[in-house]
Amino acid sequence: MKTKLMSKKRPGDIGQVYIAVDFEAIDVDTWWTFGSVVTRFPEGNMLETFQTGCDRSSHVSSDSATSTFWTKHPDAFDANVKLAGKKSVEEAEQSIVEYIQSIKARFNDFFLISDSPAFDVRILDNMLQRHNQPVMSMRKGGEYMQALCTWSYRLAIMQLIGFRSADLPRLHAALGRLPRPVDAVCSDANSGLLLRHTPLYDACMFTAQYFKVKDVVASRRGRGYLNPSAIGWRH
């Protein structure tokens, strides 16, 4: 099948729509809960949010690392249990497919982001194919738009300008930019289903971080890179 690349737009263009997706897993390659947020750059307004999950109470994990992870994060584990409820895998998958269909119908020209596309997008694409739907990278008219890894992007940019990823909040604060609505979700989340390691929270968190990195990049266009030592920051 012939495809054509969407070369006229690139991530970061003004008015660009981003769809973030995140899965939480109960085992290797066994998804448990799903969350997604649709935002527009640079405003960071949340155009739509979605989250669901499926009952995995009878699942016996074969991965000790995953089991250990949830043991260390009991509050997030309980929040994911509540989010999943008693929905069957089939019921939850159908709701995700319907959500993706509605998003693609409203925003054909969007960029898909994830902090781990090899996991999140692969699971989502496999799910879509089981329901006879095109994978996320395929758009109307045979257009192809690859998913973007926010984790790799953040790490690469921060290393390029001489900072650690942990320095991003301070570096962004120095720009004097006001918080975006998607930032508020993370800063206000302290109870219920919005906890770290729950899918909607994580989708909002890495979207907010990605936009902050875009701000840093934009601030340096045509002005060279900031010397970290010039403002007294260690890196």
Side-chain angles (χ1 to χ4, degrees):
M1 178 176 61
K2 293 183 179 180
T3 62
K4 55 181 179 179
L5 296 178
M6 300 188 71
S7 58
K8 292 184 178 180
K9 284 197 174 185
R10 62 183 183 273
D13 282 350
I14 301 300
Q16 183 63 58
V17 172
Y18 288 85
I19 298 179
V21 295
D22 184 77
F23 282 97
E24 299 297 334
I26 197 67
D27 204 346
V28 176
D29 291 333
T30 303
W31 76 275
W32 183 17
T33 57
F34 171 80
S36 175
V37 60
V38 183
T39 52
R40 192 185 303 276
F41 184 84
E43 301 90 344
N45 294 325
M46 293 179 291
L47 307 178
E48 189 159 344
T49 61
F50 177 85
Q51 59 179 345
T52 190
C54 57
D55 182 11
R56 298 288 191 183
S57 58
S58 62
H59 183 83
V60 178
S61 178
S62 61
D63 179 43
S64 59
T66 302
S67 299
T68 300
F69 174 84
W70 289 120
T71 299
K72 293 180 178 180
H73 300 91
D75 291 342
F77 181 87
D78 291 343
N80 281 289
V81 169
K82 293 178 182 178
L83 175 59
K86 295 298 182 180
K87 292 186 291 292
S88 67
V89 175
E90 294 75 15
E91 181 183 0
E93 282 197 0
Q94 184 61 43
S95 68
I96 294 172
V97 171
E98 291 175 356
Y99 164 74
I100 295 299
Q101 287 177 314
S102 69
I103 290 300
K104 281 191 170 184
R106 292 175 56 194
F107 310 104
N108 180 61
D109 185 12
F110 65 84
F111 280 98
L112 179 68
I113 59 175
S114 165
D115 63 348
S116 180
F119 178 76
D120 298 315
V121 179
R122 174 171 54 84
I123 289 179
L124 184 55
D125 281 348
N126 288 341
M127 186 184 300
L128 291 169
Q129 288 182 314
R130 285 196 297 273
H131 289 261
N132 299 313
Q133 296 295 315
V135 296
M136 291 299 295
S137 58
M138 298 306 302
R139 311 293 169 76
K140 293 179 181 178
E143 292 172 324
Y144 175 86
M145 297 180 70
Q146 189 173 6
L148 186 146
C149 178
T150 59
W151 182 88
S152 298
Y153 180 80
R154 182 178 74 252
L155 182 64
I157 293 297
M158 296 302 287
Q159 288 181 343
L160 183 63
I161 64 177
F163 286 89
R164 301 170 301 177
S165 290
D167 292 321
L168 177 60
R170 291 187 296 164
L171 181 59
H172 188 265
L175 299 178
R177 303 293 176 89
L178 294 175
R180 294 179 167 94
V182 71
D183 290 289
V185 172
C186 301
S187 61
D188 294 342
N190 54 22
S191 63
L193 300 181
L194 283 178
L195 296 171
R196 191 172 184 181
H197 307 307
T198 58
L200 181 55
Y201 176 93
D202 286 359
C204 290
M205 180 178 65
F206 67 70
T207 298
Q209 291 175 339
Y210 174 68
F211 285 177
K212 288 177 181 177
V213 177
K214 300 301 291 184
D215 289 340
V216 171
V217 171
S219 72
R220 280 153 182 74
R221 287 176 179 168
R223 299 193 305 178
Y225 292 116
L226 178 67
N227 181 356
S229 62
I231 56 175
W233 289 357
R234 297 179 180 179
H235 64 289

